[in-house]
Amino acid sequence: MVNPSIEAAGKYTIDTGLIFQHLAINFKDFDRRFILDIFKPALESILISNKVFTVAFDGTNGDYLDNYQVSRYPSDLALARSLDRFPIPEYFLIQNRDALFATVIEYGSSYQLHKFDEAYYDLFYSLQLYFTDIMEINEFLSYHHGATFEGDTLKFKVFLEEICIKYKEFLDYKHLPLVKRFLDHQSTNIKPEENDKGFTLPRQVLAISYLLDEIGVNASNADRTEIARFIQFVTGKQTKASNIKNTEIYKKLGSPLSLSDSQTISDLQFVRNYFEKLGCQSIIDKINNTVKK
């Protein structure tokens, strides 16, 4: 029961269905109690709360669902108890209060987690890190440093350190040195004392974007690559990148505002404060309009 949409998902996104399929193949790398007591209830909670159902009663498929509940599911549960098999079936059933028959939910159904503060994000991120090819770990971490943590190195550092401790059973010697190397490299790009003051890369890109827009230079009428190189020059950040299009500077130019409303407002207010001190009223007005939206 493989959901076709899983194969089209980005290889660095946190897709619970893809992770389930990897785990089902490599289950002997993990403790069975971990799979049954931690992974299984977490995945079920995500799929149920987000209503990722596979087959529900539609008024005509009662016999089909009844066969699942009475015969097929008990048989599959019994097979999964064998120590040489993956300890859970490929699906589970939930009994809805108002339905005559149970709903079937495939564990391998595609559902993507995007925010690091979502329930069980740390668990599935850790598993995705484990299943990522060793040669691509740096690219995987770089992707999430920008796409998930919006360039906030300290926040990402704390997150990585915590999951390496929490899931040390499988984030072992193969992953810890690579994570440490990535964090060491990032620490050379952003000074802790600057980050403590809120001088994050996304905010710097945002501020420079407003300045450039004020003089008529923006991504709609100029080469984004050249704008990104200009920001590299001004900030001194990510200057060693081999491909400018892989930098967080370039990515933030395409979407300078955070996916989180609260973070967006915080960033805008922080940037606006500096323009207020400079008396740049036209930029202040633009920021205020964005905040109102």
Side-chain angles (χ1 to χ4, degrees), residues 165-183:
I165 295 172
K166 186 174 181 179
Y167 302 110
K168 61 182 179 180
E169 290 79 8
F170 57 88
L171 291 180
D172 54 13
Y173 66 93
K174 292 185 295 185
H175 301 84
L176 294 180
L178 298 176
V179 170
K180 184 179 185 303
R181 183 184 67 183
F182 174 83
L183 292 174

Side-chain angles (χ1 to χ4, degrees), residues 88-152:
I88 54 179
E90 294 182 342
Y91 63 94
F92 65 102
L93 306 179
I94 58 168
Q95 186 67 55
N96 299 312
R97 184 179 304 173
D98 301 325
L100 296 175
F101 300 94
T103 296
V104 179
I105 303 179
E106 294 180 1
Y107 286 110
S109 299
S110 179
Y111 184 80
Q112 293 187 8
L113 299 172
H114 296 286
K115 299 180 180 179
F116 69 91
D117 56 355
E118 288 182 85
Y120 306 113
Y121 183 90
D122 62 330
L123 169 62
F124 286 89
Y125 186 94
S126 300
L127 288 168
Q128 180 63 45
L129 176 60
Y130 178 84
F131 291 125
T132 297
D133 188 284
I134 289 295
M135 301 302 293
E136 297 184 40
I137 292 292
N138 194 67
E139 288 77 10
F140 173 80
L141 294 173
S142 295
Y143 170 82
H144 286 283
H145 178 237
T148 306
F149 288 82
E150 300 177 335
D152 191 326

Side-chain angles (χ1 to χ4, degrees), residues 3-16:
N3 190 326
S5 64
I6 292 174
E7 297 181 2
K11 60 181 177 180
Y12 297 147
T13 56
I14 310 304
D15 189 299
T16 64

Side-chain angles (χ1 to χ4, degrees), residues 194 199-209 231 235 237 271:
E194 290 183 344
F199 298 167
T200 64
L201 182 58
R203 287 174 174 176
Q204 291 174 322
V205 173
L206 187 62
I208 295 173
S209 296
I231 295 176
T235 64
K237 302 289 180 62
V271 169

Side-chain angles (χ1 to χ4, degrees), residues 1-235:
M1 296 184 182
V2 177
N3 190 326
S5 64
I6 292 174
E7 297 181 2
K11 60 181 177 180
Y12 297 147
T13 56
I14 310 304
D15 189 299
T16 64
L18 189 58
I19 292 169
F20 172 81
Q21 293 182 37
H22 282 306
L23 187 61
I25 295 171
N26 301 280
F27 71 92
K28 292 185 179 180
D29 293 349
F30 296 82
D31 183 81
R32 291 179 74 86
R33 296 313 328 161
F34 166 80
I35 298 174
L36 290 168
D37 298 342
I38 297 177
F39 176 79
K40 177 176 176 287
L43 183 52
E44 289 178 358
S45 176
I46 290 172
L47 296 176
I48 293 172
S49 61
N50 290 285
K51 298 181 179 180
V52 186
F53 303 151
T54 305
V55 183
F57 181 58
D58 61 8
T60 64
N61 58 353
D63 291 341
Y64 177 80
L65 292 173
D66 186 59
N67 178 58
Y68 261 94
Q69 187 163 343
V70 174
S71 177
R72 183 171 178 177
Y73 190 51
S75 174
D76 288 339
L77 280 175
L79 288 173
R81 294 190 186 102
S82 173
L83 294 180
D84 62 346
R85 298 177 66 96
F86 186 52
I88 54 179
E90 294 182 342
Y91 63 94
F92 65 102
L93 306 179
I94 58 168
Q95 186 67 55
N96 299 312
R97 184 179 304 173
D98 301 325
L100 296 175
F101 300 94
T103 296
V104 179
I105 303 179
E106 294 180 1
Y107 286 110
S109 299
S110 179
Y111 184 80
Q112 293 187 8
L113 299 172
H114 296 286
K115 299 180 180 179
F116 69 91
D117 56 355
E118 288 182 85
Y120 306 113
Y121 183 90
D122 62 330
L123 169 62
F124 286 89
Y125 186 94
S126 300
L127 288 168
Q128 180 63 45
L129 176 60
Y130 178 84
F131 291 125
T132 297
D133 188 284
I134 289 295
M135 301 302 293
E136 297 184 40
I137 292 292
N138 194 67
E139 288 77 10
F140 173 80
L141 294 173
S142 295
Y143 170 82
H144 286 283
H145 178 237
T148 306
F149 288 82
E150 300 177 335
D152 191 326
T153 300
L154 290 183
K155 187 179 292 184
F156 193 35
K157 179 177 183 291
V158 170
F159 174 79
L160 290 175
E161 289 175 341
E162 288 177 345
I163 64 171
C164 284
I165 295 172
K166 186 174 181 179
Y167 302 110
K168 61 182 179 180
E169 290 79 8
F170 57 88
L171 291 180
D172 54 13
Y173 66 93
K174 292 185 295 185
H175 301 84
L176 294 180
L178 298 176
V179 170
K180 184 179 185 303
R181 183 184 67 183
F182 174 83
L183 292 174
D184 288 344
H185 176 72
Q186 291 302 316
S187 67
T188 63
N189 290 335
I190 299 181
K191 297 179 181 179
E193 63 269 23
E194 290 183 344
N195 204 61
D196 289 342
K197 296 176 183 178
F199 298 167
T200 64
L201 182 58
R203 287 174 174 176
Q204 291 174 322
V205 173
L206 187 62
I208 295 173
S209 296
Y210 274 111
L211 282 172
L212 292 175
D213 186 67
E214 185 70 7
I215 61 174
V217 178
N218 53 60
S220 64
N221 60 21
D223 187 343
R224 192 198 300 183
T225 299
E226 294 307 319
I227 297 176
R229 289 197 175 103
F230 176 77
I231 295 176
Q232 278 184 323
F233 161 69
V234 173
T235 64

